Each structure stands twice: as C-alpha cells, then as structure tokens.
mmCIF file of all heavy atoms in Angstrom:
data_model
loop_
_atom_site.group_PDB
_atom_site.id
_atom_site.type_symbol
_atom_site.label_atom_id
_atom_site.label_comp_id
_atom_site.label_asym_id
_atom_site.label_seq_id
_atom_site.Cartn_x
_atom_site.Cartn_y
_atom_site.Cartn_z
ATOM 1 N N ILE A 1 33.608 -51.455 21.762
ATOM 2 C CA ILE A 1 34.163 -50.261 22.403
ATOM 3 C C ILE A 1 35.124 -50.642 23.534
ATOM 4 O O ILE A 1 36.073 -49.913 23.835
ATOM 5 C CB ILE A 1 33.033 -49.324 22.930
ATOM 6 C CG1 ILE A 1 33.576 -47.911 23.204
ATOM 7 C CG2 ILE A 1 32.362 -49.908 24.151
ATOM 8 C CD1 ILE A 1 33.989 -47.162 21.968
ATOM 9 N N THR A 2 34.914 -51.801 24.145
ATOM 10 C CA THR A 2 35.811 -52.272 25.196
ATOM 11 C C THR A 2 37.188 -52.615 24.625
ATOM 12 O O THR A 2 38.218 -52.388 25.264
ATOM 13 C CB THR A 2 35.214 -53.515 25.900
ATOM 14 O OG1 THR A 2 33.976 -53.153 26.512
ATOM 15 C CG2 THR A 2 36.158 -54.043 26.970
ATOM 16 N N LYS A 3 37.210 -53.149 23.409
ATOM 17 C CA LYS A 3 38.465 -53.552 22.783
ATOM 18 C C LYS A 3 39.249 -52.365 22.226
ATOM 19 O O LYS A 3 40.472 -52.427 22.097
ATOM 20 C CB LYS A 3 38.194 -54.543 21.654
ATOM 21 C CG LYS A 3 37.686 -55.891 22.139
ATOM 22 C CD LYS A 3 37.388 -56.810 20.964
ATOM 23 C CE LYS A 3 36.868 -58.155 21.444
ATOM 24 N NZ LYS A 3 36.517 -59.044 20.292
ATOM 25 N N MET A 4 38.552 -51.288 21.887
ATOM 26 C CA MET A 4 39.220 -50.137 21.298
ATOM 27 C C MET A 4 39.939 -49.314 22.359
ATOM 28 O O MET A 4 39.467 -49.184 23.487
ATOM 29 C CB MET A 4 38.221 -49.260 20.542
ATOM 30 C CG MET A 4 37.620 -49.951 19.328
ATOM 31 S SD MET A 4 36.833 -48.785 18.202
ATOM 32 C CE MET A 4 38.232 -47.909 17.527
ATOM 33 N N LYS A 5 41.087 -48.770 21.999
ATOM 34 C CA LYS A 5 41.891 -48.011 22.945
ATOM 35 C C LYS A 5 42.008 -46.546 22.511
ATOM 36 O O LYS A 5 42.123 -46.241 21.332
ATOM 37 C CB LYS A 5 43.291 -48.624 23.060
ATOM 38 C CG LYS A 5 43.302 -50.025 23.650
ATOM 39 C CD LYS A 5 44.724 -50.554 23.746
ATOM 40 C CE LYS A 5 44.749 -51.954 24.346
ATOM 41 N NZ LYS A 5 46.144 -52.499 24.426
ATOM 42 N N ASP A 6 41.972 -45.686 23.510
ATOM 43 C CA ASP A 6 42.279 -44.268 23.307
ATOM 44 C C ASP A 6 41.390 -43.582 22.275
ATOM 45 O O ASP A 6 41.857 -42.817 21.432
ATOM 46 C CB ASP A 6 43.743 -44.099 22.895
ATOM 47 C CG ASP A 6 44.704 -44.710 23.897
ATOM 48 O OD1 ASP A 6 44.430 -44.606 25.105
ATOM 49 O OD2 ASP A 6 45.712 -45.293 23.475
ATOM 50 N N VAL A 7 40.079 -43.848 22.321
ATOM 51 C CA VAL A 7 39.141 -43.131 21.462
ATOM 52 C C VAL A 7 38.878 -41.765 22.082
ATOM 53 O O VAL A 7 38.428 -41.662 23.227
ATOM 54 C CB VAL A 7 37.816 -43.912 21.292
ATOM 55 C CG1 VAL A 7 36.809 -43.089 20.491
ATOM 56 C CG2 VAL A 7 38.062 -45.254 20.624
ATOM 57 N N ASP A 8 39.187 -40.719 21.331
ATOM 58 C CA ASP A 8 39.020 -39.353 21.848
ATOM 59 C C ASP A 8 37.622 -38.801 21.605
ATOM 60 O O ASP A 8 37.164 -37.911 22.325
ATOM 61 C CB ASP A 8 40.048 -38.426 21.193
ATOM 62 C CG ASP A 8 41.476 -38.826 21.539
ATOM 63 O OD1 ASP A 8 41.860 -38.679 22.707
ATOM 64 O OD2 ASP A 8 42.195 -39.309 20.639
ATOM 65 N N LEU A 9 36.961 -39.318 20.569
ATOM 66 C CA LEU A 9 35.613 -38.842 20.237
ATOM 67 C C LEU A 9 34.829 -39.972 19.593
ATOM 68 O O LEU A 9 35.306 -40.623 18.652
ATOM 69 C CB LEU A 9 35.681 -37.657 19.272
ATOM 70 C CG LEU A 9 34.352 -37.189 18.665
ATOM 71 C CD1 LEU A 9 33.426 -36.614 19.735
ATOM 72 C CD2 LEU A 9 34.590 -36.143 17.566
ATOM 73 N N LEU A 10 33.648 -40.208 20.106
ATOM 74 C CA LEU A 10 32.709 -41.160 19.509
ATOM 75 C C LEU A 10 31.590 -40.385 18.823
ATOM 76 O O LEU A 10 30.966 -39.521 19.439
ATOM 77 C CB LEU A 10 32.106 -42.069 20.586
ATOM 78 C CG LEU A 10 30.883 -42.899 20.171
ATOM 79 C CD1 LEU A 10 31.262 -43.950 19.122
ATOM 80 C CD2 LEU A 10 30.230 -43.548 21.392
ATOM 81 N N ILE A 11 31.367 -40.682 17.549
ATOM 82 C CA ILE A 11 30.203 -40.159 16.836
ATOM 83 C C ILE A 11 29.211 -41.305 16.737
ATOM 84 O O ILE A 11 29.438 -42.286 16.020
ATOM 85 C CB ILE A 11 30.576 -39.634 15.437
ATOM 86 C CG1 ILE A 11 31.610 -38.501 15.550
ATOM 87 C CG2 ILE A 11 29.327 -39.138 14.701
ATOM 88 C CD1 ILE A 11 32.127 -38.016 14.205
ATOM 89 N N LEU A 12 28.132 -41.214 17.490
ATOM 90 C CA LEU A 12 27.138 -42.282 17.568
ATOM 91 C C LEU A 12 25.902 -41.884 16.769
ATOM 92 O O LEU A 12 25.145 -41.000 17.175
ATOM 93 C CB LEU A 12 26.777 -42.544 19.034
ATOM 94 C CG LEU A 12 25.856 -43.726 19.334
ATOM 95 C CD1 LEU A 12 26.451 -45.036 18.843
ATOM 96 C CD2 LEU A 12 25.567 -43.800 20.832
ATOM 97 N N ALA A 13 25.747 -42.527 15.607
ATOM 98 C CA ALA A 13 24.636 -42.196 14.700
ATOM 99 C C ALA A 13 23.828 -43.464 14.454
ATOM 100 O O ALA A 13 24.007 -44.159 13.453
ATOM 101 C CB ALA A 13 25.180 -41.631 13.388
ATOM 102 N N ILE A 14 22.942 -43.769 15.363
ATOM 103 C CA ILE A 14 22.233 -45.047 15.336
ATOM 104 C C ILE A 14 20.754 -44.825 15.666
ATOM 105 O O ILE A 14 20.405 -43.843 16.332
ATOM 106 C CB ILE A 14 22.869 -46.022 16.361
ATOM 107 C CG1 ILE A 14 22.519 -47.487 16.069
ATOM 108 C CG2 ILE A 14 22.548 -45.625 17.784
ATOM 109 C CD1 ILE A 14 23.279 -48.082 14.920
ATOM 110 N N GLY A 15 19.898 -45.728 15.176
ATOM 111 C CA GLY A 15 18.485 -45.658 15.545
ATOM 112 C C GLY A 15 17.505 -45.667 14.391
ATOM 113 O O GLY A 15 16.318 -45.946 14.582
ATOM 114 N N THR A 16 17.987 -45.384 13.175
ATOM 115 C CA THR A 16 17.060 -45.336 12.036
ATOM 116 C C THR A 16 16.390 -46.683 11.786
ATOM 117 O O THR A 16 15.181 -46.755 11.558
ATOM 118 C CB THR A 16 17.786 -44.856 10.762
ATOM 119 O OG1 THR A 16 18.245 -43.517 10.958
ATOM 120 C CG2 THR A 16 16.851 -44.883 9.561
ATOM 121 N N ASN A 17 17.152 -47.766 11.839
ATOM 122 C CA ASN A 17 16.574 -49.078 11.543
ATOM 123 C C ASN A 17 15.629 -49.571 12.628
ATOM 124 O O ASN A 17 14.809 -50.466 12.383
ATOM 125 C CB ASN A 17 17.695 -50.098 11.309
ATOM 126 C CG ASN A 17 18.398 -49.856 9.995
ATOM 127 O OD1 ASN A 17 17.776 -49.775 8.944
ATOM 128 N ND2 ASN A 17 19.708 -49.700 10.049
ATOM 129 N N ASP A 18 15.736 -48.970 13.814
ATOM 130 C CA ASP A 18 14.787 -49.303 14.874
ATOM 131 C C ASP A 18 13.392 -48.758 14.580
ATOM 132 O O ASP A 18 12.433 -49.119 15.249
ATOM 133 C CB ASP A 18 15.289 -48.749 16.210
ATOM 134 C CG ASP A 18 16.615 -49.368 16.610
ATOM 135 O OD1 ASP A 18 16.613 -50.511 17.094
ATOM 136 O OD2 ASP A 18 17.659 -48.716 16.398
ATOM 137 N N LEU A 19 13.294 -47.901 13.560
ATOM 138 C CA LEU A 19 12.006 -47.352 13.142
ATOM 139 C C LEU A 19 11.233 -48.319 12.249
ATOM 140 O O LEU A 19 10.068 -48.064 11.923
ATOM 141 C CB LEU A 19 12.218 -46.032 12.387
ATOM 142 C CG LEU A 19 12.893 -44.896 13.172
ATOM 143 C CD1 LEU A 19 13.263 -43.754 12.226
ATOM 144 C CD2 LEU A 19 12.003 -44.394 14.296
ATOM 145 N N GLN A 20 11.866 -49.417 11.850
ATOM 146 C CA GLN A 20 11.174 -50.407 11.014
ATOM 147 C C GLN A 20 9.940 -50.918 11.753
ATOM 148 O O GLN A 20 9.986 -51.193 12.954
ATOM 149 C CB GLN A 20 12.109 -51.565 10.682
ATOM 150 C CG GLN A 20 13.277 -51.174 9.796
ATOM 151 C CD GLN A 20 14.216 -52.332 9.534
ATOM 152 O OE1 GLN A 20 13.796 -53.491 9.510
ATOM 153 N NE2 GLN A 20 15.491 -52.027 9.322
ATOM 154 N N PHE A 21 8.843 -51.078 11.004
ATOM 155 C CA PHE A 21 7.579 -51.407 11.666
ATOM 156 C C PHE A 21 7.583 -52.776 12.328
ATOM 157 O O PHE A 21 6.832 -53.025 13.273
ATOM 158 C CB PHE A 21 6.396 -51.271 10.692
ATOM 159 C CG PHE A 21 6.460 -52.123 9.459
ATOM 160 C CD1 PHE A 21 6.165 -53.469 9.486
ATOM 161 C CD2 PHE A 21 6.810 -51.558 8.228
ATOM 162 C CE1 PHE A 21 6.202 -54.254 8.338
ATOM 163 C CE2 PHE A 21 6.858 -52.318 7.066
ATOM 164 C CZ PHE A 21 6.560 -53.673 7.131
ATOM 165 N N LYS A 22 8.466 -53.686 11.898
ATOM 166 C CA LYS A 22 8.467 -55.027 12.493
ATOM 167 C C LYS A 22 8.915 -55.004 13.951
ATOM 168 O O LYS A 22 8.545 -55.881 14.730
ATOM 169 C CB LYS A 22 9.357 -55.976 11.690
ATOM 170 C CG LYS A 22 10.846 -55.751 11.809
ATOM 171 C CD LYS A 22 11.617 -56.838 11.056
ATOM 172 C CE LYS A 22 13.115 -56.664 11.186
ATOM 173 N NZ LYS A 22 13.860 -57.750 10.479
ATOM 174 N N TYR A 23 9.701 -53.998 14.330
ATOM 175 C CA TYR A 23 10.161 -53.915 15.722
ATOM 176 C C TYR A 23 9.112 -53.294 16.635
ATOM 177 O O TYR A 23 9.076 -53.586 17.829
ATOM 178 C CB TYR A 23 11.462 -53.122 15.797
ATOM 179 C CG TYR A 23 12.610 -53.778 15.074
ATOM 180 C CD1 TYR A 23 13.270 -53.120 14.032
ATOM 181 C CD2 TYR A 23 13.029 -55.062 15.398
ATOM 182 C CE1 TYR A 23 14.329 -53.716 13.356
ATOM 183 C CE2 TYR A 23 14.086 -55.673 14.732
ATOM 184 C CZ TYR A 23 14.728 -54.995 13.703
ATOM 185 O OH TYR A 23 15.764 -55.590 13.035
ATOM 186 N N ASP A 24 8.287 -52.416 16.090
ATOM 187 C CA ASP A 24 7.161 -51.828 16.818
ATOM 188 C C ASP A 24 7.583 -51.276 18.194
ATOM 189 O O ASP A 24 6.913 -51.502 19.203
ATOM 190 C CB ASP A 24 6.051 -52.869 16.988
ATOM 191 C CG ASP A 24 4.724 -52.247 17.411
ATOM 192 O OD1 ASP A 24 4.505 -51.058 17.091
ATOM 193 O OD2 ASP A 24 3.923 -52.941 18.077
ATOM 194 N N LEU A 25 8.693 -50.551 18.209
ATOM 195 C CA LEU A 25 9.202 -50.014 19.466
ATOM 196 C C LEU A 25 8.384 -48.802 19.920
ATOM 197 O O LEU A 25 8.004 -47.964 19.110
ATOM 198 C CB LEU A 25 10.661 -49.587 19.312
ATOM 199 C CG LEU A 25 11.695 -50.680 19.052
ATOM 200 C CD1 LEU A 25 13.070 -50.066 18.907
ATOM 201 C CD2 LEU A 25 11.693 -51.721 20.163
ATOM 202 N N THR A 26 8.172 -48.719 21.207
ATOM 203 C CA THR A 26 7.547 -47.531 21.755
ATOM 204 C C THR A 26 8.635 -46.468 21.963
ATOM 205 O O THR A 26 9.831 -46.774 21.990
ATOM 206 C CB THR A 26 6.869 -47.826 23.108
ATOM 207 O OG1 THR A 26 7.877 -48.180 24.064
ATOM 208 C CG2 THR A 26 5.872 -48.969 22.973
ATOM 209 N N ILE A 27 8.214 -45.232 22.149
ATOM 210 C CA ILE A 27 9.162 -44.160 22.418
ATOM 211 C C ILE A 27 9.906 -44.445 23.721
ATOM 212 O O ILE A 27 11.113 -44.172 23.841
ATOM 213 C CB ILE A 27 8.443 -42.796 22.495
ATOM 214 C CG1 ILE A 27 7.798 -42.454 21.136
ATOM 215 C CG2 ILE A 27 9.405 -41.710 22.928
ATOM 216 C CD1 ILE A 27 8.783 -42.279 20.002
ATOM 217 N N HIS A 28 9.226 -45.029 24.693
ATOM 218 C CA HIS A 28 9.848 -45.372 25.975
ATOM 219 C C HIS A 28 10.943 -46.420 25.783
ATOM 220 O O HIS A 28 12.035 -46.310 26.361
ATOM 221 C CB HIS A 28 8.782 -45.886 26.947
ATOM 222 C CG HIS A 28 9.304 -46.226 28.309
ATOM 223 N ND1 HIS A 28 9.815 -45.282 29.168
ATOM 224 C CD2 HIS A 28 9.422 -47.432 28.955
ATOM 225 C CE1 HIS A 28 10.213 -45.869 30.289
ATOM 226 N NE2 HIS A 28 9.990 -47.170 30.179
ATOM 227 N N GLN A 29 10.668 -47.441 24.992
ATOM 228 C CA GLN A 29 11.677 -48.469 24.709
ATOM 229 C C GLN A 29 12.872 -47.868 23.967
ATOM 230 O O GLN A 29 14.025 -48.232 24.222
ATOM 231 C CB GLN A 29 11.062 -49.594 23.874
ATOM 232 C CG GLN A 29 10.085 -50.471 24.633
ATOM 233 C CD GLN A 29 9.355 -51.443 23.722
ATOM 234 O OE1 GLN A 29 8.932 -51.094 22.611
ATOM 235 N NE2 GLN A 29 9.208 -52.680 24.181
ATOM 236 N N PHE A 30 12.574 -46.970 23.060
ATOM 237 C CA PHE A 30 13.621 -46.289 22.304
ATOM 238 C C PHE A 30 14.559 -45.545 23.259
ATOM 239 O O PHE A 30 15.792 -45.636 23.154
ATOM 240 C CB PHE A 30 12.982 -45.299 21.325
ATOM 241 C CG PHE A 30 13.670 -45.205 20.002
ATOM 242 C CD1 PHE A 30 13.121 -45.785 18.876
ATOM 243 C CD2 PHE A 30 14.870 -44.523 19.887
ATOM 244 C CE1 PHE A 30 13.758 -45.696 17.643
ATOM 245 C CE2 PHE A 30 15.522 -44.427 18.655
ATOM 246 C CZ PHE A 30 14.961 -45.015 17.529
ATOM 247 N N GLU A 31 13.980 -44.819 24.184
ATOM 248 C CA GLU A 31 14.771 -44.028 25.125
ATOM 249 C C GLU A 31 15.616 -44.927 26.029
ATOM 250 O O GLU A 31 16.807 -44.662 26.252
ATOM 251 C CB GLU A 31 13.859 -43.145 25.973
ATOM 252 C CG GLU A 31 14.614 -42.271 26.954
ATOM 253 C CD GLU A 31 13.724 -41.249 27.650
ATOM 254 O OE1 GLU A 31 12.588 -41.032 27.202
ATOM 255 O OE2 GLU A 31 14.187 -40.662 28.652
ATOM 256 N N ASN A 32 15.022 -45.993 26.549
ATOM 257 C CA ASN A 32 15.754 -46.893 27.442
ATOM 258 C C ASN A 32 16.934 -47.557 26.739
ATOM 259 O O ASN A 32 18.028 -47.673 27.294
ATOM 260 C CB ASN A 32 14.814 -47.966 27.998
ATOM 261 C CG ASN A 32 13.882 -47.434 29.064
ATOM 262 O OD1 ASN A 32 14.100 -46.353 29.606
ATOM 263 N ND2 ASN A 32 12.845 -48.190 29.372
ATOM 264 N N GLY A 33 16.710 -47.998 25.501
ATOM 265 C CA GLY A 33 17.769 -48.659 24.746
ATOM 266 C C GLY A 33 18.902 -47.722 24.402
ATOM 267 O O GLY A 33 20.085 -48.084 24.501
ATOM 268 N N LEU A 34 18.554 -46.518 24.002
ATOM 269 C CA LEU A 34 19.571 -45.522 23.667
ATOM 270 C C LEU A 34 20.373 -45.149 24.906
ATOM 271 O O LEU A 34 21.609 -44.993 24.846
ATOM 272 C CB LEU A 34 18.907 -44.286 23.065
ATOM 273 C CG LEU A 34 19.838 -43.149 22.648
ATOM 274 C CD1 LEU A 34 20.824 -43.608 21.584
ATOM 275 C CD2 LEU A 34 19.022 -41.957 22.130
ATOM 276 N N GLU A 35 19.700 -45.028 26.034
ATOM 277 C CA GLU A 35 20.389 -44.674 27.275
ATOM 278 C C GLU A 35 21.407 -45.746 27.668
ATOM 279 O O GLU A 35 22.495 -45.433 28.166
ATOM 280 C CB GLU A 35 19.377 -44.461 28.403
ATOM 281 C CG GLU A 35 19.996 -43.887 29.662
ATOM 282 C CD GLU A 35 18.944 -43.413 30.673
ATOM 283 O OE1 GLU A 35 17.781 -43.855 30.584
ATOM 284 O OE2 GLU A 35 19.298 -42.591 31.533
ATOM 285 N N LYS A 36 21.090 -47.003 27.424
ATOM 286 C CA LYS A 36 22.038 -48.087 27.730
ATOM 287 C C LYS A 36 23.330 -47.920 26.938
ATOM 288 O O LYS A 36 24.427 -48.087 27.473
ATOM 289 C CB LYS A 36 21.404 -49.438 27.406
ATOM 290 C CG LYS A 36 20.333 -49.876 28.378
ATOM 291 C CD LYS A 36 19.741 -51.226 27.967
ATOM 292 C CE LYS A 36 18.626 -51.650 28.906
ATOM 293 N NZ LYS A 36 18.002 -52.935 28.472
ATOM 294 N N LEU A 37 23.205 -47.592 25.649
ATOM 295 C CA LEU A 37 24.388 -47.384 24.817
ATOM 296 C C LEU A 37 25.200 -46.193 25.313
ATOM 297 O O LEU A 37 26.435 -46.232 25.341
ATOM 298 C CB LEU A 37 23.980 -47.160 23.358
ATOM 299 C CG LEU A 37 23.353 -48.332 22.604
ATOM 300 C CD1 LEU A 37 23.013 -47.915 21.175
ATOM 301 C CD2 LEU A 37 24.290 -49.530 22.582
ATOM 302 N N ILE A 38 24.507 -45.145 25.699
ATOM 303 C CA ILE A 38 25.187 -43.937 26.171
ATOM 304 C C ILE A 38 25.979 -44.212 27.446
ATOM 305 O O ILE A 38 27.130 -43.787 27.584
ATOM 306 C CB ILE A 38 24.168 -42.804 26.399
ATOM 307 C CG1 ILE A 38 23.627 -42.304 25.057
ATOM 308 C CG2 ILE A 38 24.795 -41.656 27.192
ATOM 309 C CD1 ILE A 38 22.467 -41.335 25.180
ATOM 310 N N VAL A 39 25.394 -44.929 28.376
ATOM 311 C CA VAL A 39 26.061 -45.244 29.645
ATOM 312 C C VAL A 39 27.328 -46.052 29.384
ATOM 313 O O VAL A 39 28.394 -45.799 29.973
ATOM 314 C CB VAL A 39 25.109 -46.000 30.593
ATOM 315 C CG1 VAL A 39 25.862 -46.545 31.791
ATOM 316 C CG2 VAL A 39 23.984 -45.079 31.049
ATOM 317 N N ILE A 40 27.242 -47.022 28.487
ATOM 318 C CA ILE A 40 28.411 -47.834 28.128
ATOM 319 C C ILE A 40 29.484 -46.958 27.494
ATOM 320 O O ILE A 40 30.666 -47.047 27.835
ATOM 321 C CB ILE A 40 27.996 -48.963 27.159
ATOM 322 C CG1 ILE A 40 27.115 -49.979 27.889
ATOM 323 C CG2 ILE A 40 29.225 -49.656 26.568
ATOM 324 C CD1 ILE A 40 26.384 -50.928 26.968
ATOM 325 N N ALA A 41 29.064 -46.109 26.578
ATOM 326 C CA ALA A 41 30.010 -45.234 25.878
ATOM 327 C C ALA A 41 30.682 -44.257 26.824
ATOM 328 O O ALA A 41 31.894 -43.998 26.716
ATOM 329 C CB ALA A 41 29.285 -44.485 24.764
ATOM 330 N N LYS A 42 29.916 -43.710 27.766
ATOM 331 C CA LYS A 42 30.455 -42.717 28.701
ATOM 332 C C LYS A 42 31.571 -43.289 29.571
ATOM 333 O O LYS A 42 32.442 -42.563 30.042
ATOM 334 C CB LYS A 42 29.342 -42.161 29.594
ATOM 335 C CG LYS A 42 28.420 -41.171 28.913
ATOM 336 C CD LYS A 42 29.023 -39.774 28.871
ATOM 337 C CE LYS A 42 29.007 -39.110 30.221
ATOM 338 N NZ LYS A 42 29.531 -37.718 30.173
ATOM 339 N N ASN A 43 31.535 -44.582 29.793
ATOM 340 C CA ASN A 43 32.572 -45.226 30.597
ATOM 341 C C ASN A 43 33.876 -45.410 29.837
ATOM 342 O O ASN A 43 34.896 -45.753 30.442
ATOM 343 C CB ASN A 43 32.084 -46.589 31.099
ATOM 344 C CG ASN A 43 31.048 -46.460 32.201
ATOM 345 O OD1 ASN A 43 31.096 -45.512 32.982
ATOM 346 N ND2 ASN A 43 30.112 -47.385 32.251
ATOM 347 N N LYS A 44 33.834 -45.215 28.530
ATOM 348 C CA LYS A 44 35.021 -45.447 27.701
ATOM 349 C C LYS A 44 35.517 -44.209 26.970
ATOM 350 O O LYS A 44 36.701 -44.100 26.653
ATOM 351 C CB LYS A 44 34.714 -46.544 26.654
ATOM 352 C CG LYS A 44 34.605 -47.937 27.221
ATOM 353 C CD LYS A 44 35.958 -48.466 27.690
ATOM 354 C CE LYS A 44 36.907 -48.674 26.528
ATOM 355 N NZ LYS A 44 38.214 -49.220 26.952
ATOM 356 N N VAL A 45 34.605 -43.283 26.671
ATOM 357 C CA VAL A 45 34.948 -42.140 25.819
ATOM 358 C C VAL A 45 34.499 -40.844 26.485
ATOM 359 O O VAL A 45 33.360 -40.738 26.956
ATOM 360 C CB VAL A 45 34.276 -42.263 24.431
ATOM 361 C CG1 VAL A 45 34.737 -41.142 23.515
ATOM 362 C CG2 VAL A 45 34.554 -43.612 23.796
#
C-alpha cells in the first residue's frame, strides 16, 4: 500500500484463512491484528 499511488478506495476482504484451526487465534487477537491493518490503510486511503 505504501508503493501504490492515488488509491481512492480500498476494498479490504481478509480474515477467512485466519479461521484455520492451526492458527488457533482468539477473538482478541483477531481484533488487534485487523486493527493494525486498518490503521495502516487509513494513513494511505
């Protein structure tokens, strides 16, 4: 996202594969990780 220029709209559709049982993520971990992506995206788009 840092390399891309002039993005007017980001469609962020991510998280399904994090549901795989091998990752064993808690809902809290899910929220924290998603929030990190959002903060990064908000600075660019």
Side-chain angles (χ1 to χ4, degrees):
I1 197 68
T2 298
K3 292 178 180 178
M4 294 196 70
K5 295 181 180 179
D6 304 322
V7 175
D8 297 292
L9 171 66
L10 167 67
I11 300 175
L12 186 59
I14 200 76
T16 297
N17 288 307
D18 298 282
L19 299 170
Q20 294 178 30
F21 59 78
K22 72 175 182 178
Y23 296 121
D24 195 27
L25 294 179
T26 65
I27 297 297
H28 182 66
Q29 289 172 318
F30 218 105
E31 181 172 346
N32 285 344
L34 180 60
E35 189 168 20
K36 287 179 182 177
L37 293 180
I38 290 171
V39 170
I40 292 166
K42 285 279 287 183
N43 287 328
K44 288 290 293 181
V45 185

